[in-house]
Amino acid sequence: MTTALITGVTGQDGAYLAKLLLEKGYRVVGGVRRNGRDALGRLTALGIAEQVELLPFELMEYTNVRHVLERVHPDEIYNLAAQSFVGVSFEQPLYTSEVTGLGALRLFEAARVVTPRAKIYQASSSEMFGRVTVSPQNETTPFHPRSPYGVAKTFAHYSAVNYREAYDMHISCGIMFNHESVLRGTEFVTRKITRAAARIKLGLQTRLELGNLEARRDWGHAPDYVEAMWLMLQQDTPDDYVIATGETHSVEEFVKTAFEFVSLNWRGYVTSSPGQLRPADVESLCGNPRKATTALGWVPQVLFYELIAIMTRADLQREGK
Ligand code: NDP
Ligand code: GDP
């Protein structure tokens, strides 16, 4: 039986990846932080909370990371744990660098010592491209991160490449563009919008305050993206892959579509407030996933309009209860 360790198993991607690996017959061990809230909500929502072995895991703590590897001896490691919200990274730049940047390096270093033959997936991000001058972006596009989160992910990405080259470790990076789902955190713009559209429709909320409506993203569906993570670790050779849909849409288009789904005109409810703007923003991202399609056979199944329908429908059901 193949054993996988998923760091960040309580997050959006961790939950979908755990489900995928359990379906494939893996033993799945998940690293969980101790905190006061219901950390297992997403695993419970997918009906797999009982099937994932949970261990206390903290990326800030090298000895803990190392002990977990010694105890689990995973064949595959998926490093999904991170302070993953760009907005908060401006408020907590040092903490974000510690967890999202140095945390990844702690894991690679512990793996080098304890499980050097384990295959590792590193969750890199399109935020590394940041201020882009070419579109669409692929694996050769230069990085110009625009936030402490983007900078930390770039550090982690180069650390992964360095450990691959220096120690011949099987570390692959998915340069993933934004991916969303019904399990997405409500602080991210997509889920903030679909939840608000549902709540306004149901009379539970009257307004929605957003920031930059002109920002453009390449939004895909998280369950499709975790499939790509697994595919990367089934290859003989480690590599980096852009994972994206190849379509780009603005935040305004997202709002308009979600509100149309509940038969409302967004203009009556949505404002753009300076308080929601970031000190620096990524204006436009669009990925070219050709390499992943050719080398891994990966093709995104859910695109923009279907994604919004899935998310808004789920929020209507949730909020209507
Ligand atoms: P989430 O924010 O939903 O999940 C992050 C996970 O990391 C949570 O389980 C969280 O635990 C855990 N975590 C945070 N800090 C620590 C820490 N110090 N030690 C151990 N665990 C920690 O992110 P997603 O699932 O959306 O994303 C997964 C990964 O992919 C992240 O690294 C993200 O940056 C990256 N990524 C995501 C993209 C997206 O669009 N979703 C795009 C590109 C990259 P807890 O539940 O306790 O908070
Ligand atoms: P990101 O791409 O990882 O930063 O994902 P987000 O969902 O947080 O943000 C996507 C884009 O939406 C960014 O350009 C934000 O500036 C923009 N945006 C506009 N209004 C909001 C808002 O109210 N919340 C968030 N999170 N983002 C917003």
Side-chain angles (χ1 to χ4, degrees), residues 26-296:
Y26 279 59
R27 170 183 171 230
V28 178
V29 182
V32 186
R33 288 198 290 177
R34 216 207 77 78
N35 55 31
R37 60 184 180 78
D38 171 26
L40 303 186
R42 291 185 173 106
L43 297 174
T44 304
L46 296 182
I48 56 169
E50 306 294 318
Q51 295 163 57
V52 178
E53 288 175 43
L54 301 173
L55 286 179
F57 184 85
E58 172 53 68
L59 263 184
M60 302 272 279
E61 189 85 40
Y62 177 76
T63 40
N64 174 237
V65 175
R66 189 172 162 157
H67 283 152
V68 167
L69 293 185
E70 284 166 351
R71 198 161 147 194
V72 177
H73 262 279
D75 303 293
E76 298 177 3
I77 302 169
Y78 295 86
N79 184 34
L80 309 185
Q83 192 302 94
S84 71
F85 186 41
V86 171
V88 160
S89 79
F90 286 102
E91 304 293 326
Q92 301 175 348
L94 303 179
Y95 174 75
T96 300
S97 306
E98 277 287 351
V99 174
T100 305
L102 275 176
L105 179 57
R106 282 187 199 98
L107 180 68
F108 304 150
E109 179 59 13
R112 181 183 73 78
V113 176
V114 181
T115 56
R117 301 265 58 87
K119 293 182 171 179
I120 303 178
Y121 171 80
Q122 169 58 22
S124 293
S125 166
S126 57
E127 290 291 317
M128 302 187 309
F129 294 126
R131 189 155 80 187
V132 297
T133 49
V134 280
S135 192
Q137 295 84 50
N138 67 16
E139 293 77 6
T140 63
T141 305
F143 298 142
H144 185 145
R146 294 270 285 167
S147 63
Y149 169 83
V151 172
K153 279 288 180 190
T154 307
F155 172 86
H157 179 85
Y158 281 130
S159 297
V161 173
N162 182 237
Y163 270 57
R164 181 161 77 208
E165 293 175 355
Y167 305 116
D168 202 22
M169 288 168 68
H170 195 297
I171 310 184
S172 288
C173 302
I175 306 176
M176 296 219 166
F177 284 62
N178 298 49
H179 44 281
E180 320 294 316
S181 72
V182 300
L183 299 182
R184 184 63 143 156
T186 51
E187 68 275 36
F188 294 91
V189 78
T190 52
R191 189 67 208 296
K192 185 173 172 182
I193 293 167
T194 60
R195 184 165 175 269
R199 288 175 60 82
I200 291 170
K201 182 67 182 177
L202 295 168
L204 301 171
Q205 185 174 329
T206 52
R207 295 165 48 76
L208 170 61
E209 189 181 282
L210 295 172
N212 181 2
L213 300 180
E214 287 164 19
R216 302 181 72 83
R217 290 290 184 277
D218 178 329
W219 281 293
H221 194 214
D224 291 345
Y225 286 50
V226 300
E227 180 93 32
M229 298 175 188
W230 175 77
L231 284 168
M232 283 176 220
L233 296 204
Q234 309 319 304
Q235 307 306 305
D236 291 335
T237 317
D239 208 339
D240 304 323
Y241 300 90
V242 160
I243 304 296
T245 68
E247 282 185 18
T248 182
H249 297 273
S250 67
V251 172
E252 184 174 314
E253 280 175 80
F254 197 108
V255 178
K256 180 171 178 287
T257 308
F259 276 70
E260 277 172 359
F261 188 83
V262 296
S263 310
L264 293 175
N265 182 346
W266 69 278
R267 290 189 185 279
Y269 306 94
V270 179
T271 51
S272 169
S273 148
Q276 297 285 334
L277 298 177
R278 294 169 179 177
D281 207 352
V282 173
E283 287 306 326
S284 184
L285 290 173
C286 181
N288 178 354
R290 191 182 306 144
K291 179 176 170 182
T293 300
T294 309
L296 307 176

